[in-house]
Amino acid sequence: MTASPVAETRTGTGTGTETETGADSRRAPLILRNRAFGAVWLGQVLTQAAVRMFQVGVSWWIVAYAVHDTRGLASGLFMAACTLPAVALAPVVAGAVARFAHRSVLRTAAALAGGASGALALWAYGGGLPLAAVYAAGLALAACQAFFDPCLTTSVPELVDDADIETATGFELSTQSLAGLGGALLGALTVDRAGVAGLAAGCAAAYLVAALLVASARFRTVVPGVGADASQPPQRRTLRRILGELPYVRRILICFTAANLFTTAVFVVIPLYTRSVLAGGGGTVALLEASLGTGALVGAFTGTRVPGRPTVAGAYCLGLMALALALPGLVAHRPVVAGCLAVAGWCAGAVSVRFVALFQRLVPSADKPGFFAVMQAVLGASLPVASLAFGFAGDFLSPQALCLVQGVGLAPAACALALLRSPTPAPAAAEPAGGER
């Protein structure tokens, strides 16, 4: 991998990418008029769909086939293992994204994940697959994804013009929704029909195609900004200092970290709820996960239309999500549960696109590699805790009780977010075009 500069200029001209100009091209979707961004975006769809399919499929495999006692703890432990790399590797990820060419990081992460899932598929086809090997594979895939996601977020200005950043952010965040939808539909169903071997083989194919797509994309060669000394690389600050100098952003991240303790538990609750309350199989898991993913997909594309300041809009969305997650604890009907998960997914997608677009505007360019790595780590720090806590509690409490705990737990985070006030810009500071404050 070759080193790449981090400073950039946003001139709106987009040299080095296949972005067209003119009114006609502006009417076309970004992924069609910018082939480089479209290829990388599709690669992210495939990688996130693969890791989500693996997580959903293995979670269902643990609950329905592999473990007969302490199912909740076993599935919670697996989900915790899948969330640890984003937290533990944050400094390593930040350094790699800042030092190496972004295309190399993306391509290498996808290729390594394809190799790991392919090895697991061969082991599973041979028989005698231990549970520990599946846990280790989940850890490896999550580690590769921990490099891929913040690197792609940092790479957005290298692929699109400044005027397209928010649109590109919406597409980028929609990959999580598409991945949730695709992984939900394929994960549990694949396990029911082809076992872990078929699941791992499908993941390997998706990762390898993603690596080829990234390798085919042409990234923009960034240059130092106006007034910068091209001979001197931009000074990179520590992760702690980045957040220390962005108090408004830091408070937002704290609110969402607290909220994630309860929202992300849904991935542990869904398999338990399906088996114990709805008495369903892999098809029911697919329906519920697909409802969540579809809602998030719609939210990712409509989030910019939610009125109000980001913190106020986010607070309303968290409040609505609290109601949607709590209602299945009172009404145990499949259509109602699916509808509630769709609403919860929409709230998550809408909140994500508003705040990541805001961060793209507020965070200095030289700090973005470190910031997006630490953002993933801060938000992800609650995931292992939530997975273990709700998984362990699932062996003692009913899934309906867990749903109510999720709803009640979100309320304080929504109130705290609503009370945040955006920083007042200096009188002489110019407001960035199209930015949110």
Side-chain angles (χ1 to χ4, degrees), residues 55-201:
Q55 292 173 359
V56 171
V58 170
S59 294
W60 176 242
W61 176 72
I62 289 172
V63 170
Y65 300 103
V67 178
H68 301 291
D69 300 319
T70 65
R71 294 186 180 95
L73 180 59
S75 61
L77 183 61
F78 171 72
M79 291 304 299
C82 291
T83 56
L84 281 175
V87 181
L89 298 177
V92 179
V93 171
V97 173
R99 180 181 178 185
F100 298 109
H102 295 156
R103 182 169 63 174
S104 296
V105 175
L106 295 171
R107 182 181 60 227
T108 302
L112 289 176
S117 49
L120 182 69
L122 293 176
W123 192 345
Y125 276 120
L129 182 67
L131 189 62
V134 180
Y135 277 54
L139 190 66
L141 299 188
C144 293
Q145 204 67 37
F147 283 86
F148 196 101
D149 291 336
C151 183
L152 187 139
T153 304
T154 307
S155 302
V156 166
E158 299 175 27
L159 296 165
V160 303
D161 296 329
D162 184 78
D164 289 325
I165 282 182
E166 288 195 6
T167 303
T169 300
F171 274 104
E172 183 204 345
L173 293 178
S174 73
T175 62
Q176 297 181 2
S177 311
L178 288 171
L181 179 59
L185 290 174
L186 297 176
L189 291 176
T190 302
V191 166
D192 278 348
R193 288 163 173 76
V196 175
L199 179 73

Side-chain angles (χ1 to χ4, degrees), residues 32-48:
L32 296 181
R33 54 187 165 84
N34 187 325
R35 292 191 295 267
F37 177 76
V40 176
W41 175 77
L42 183 56
Q44 190 186 32
V45 171
L46 290 173
T47 60
Q48 290 194 346

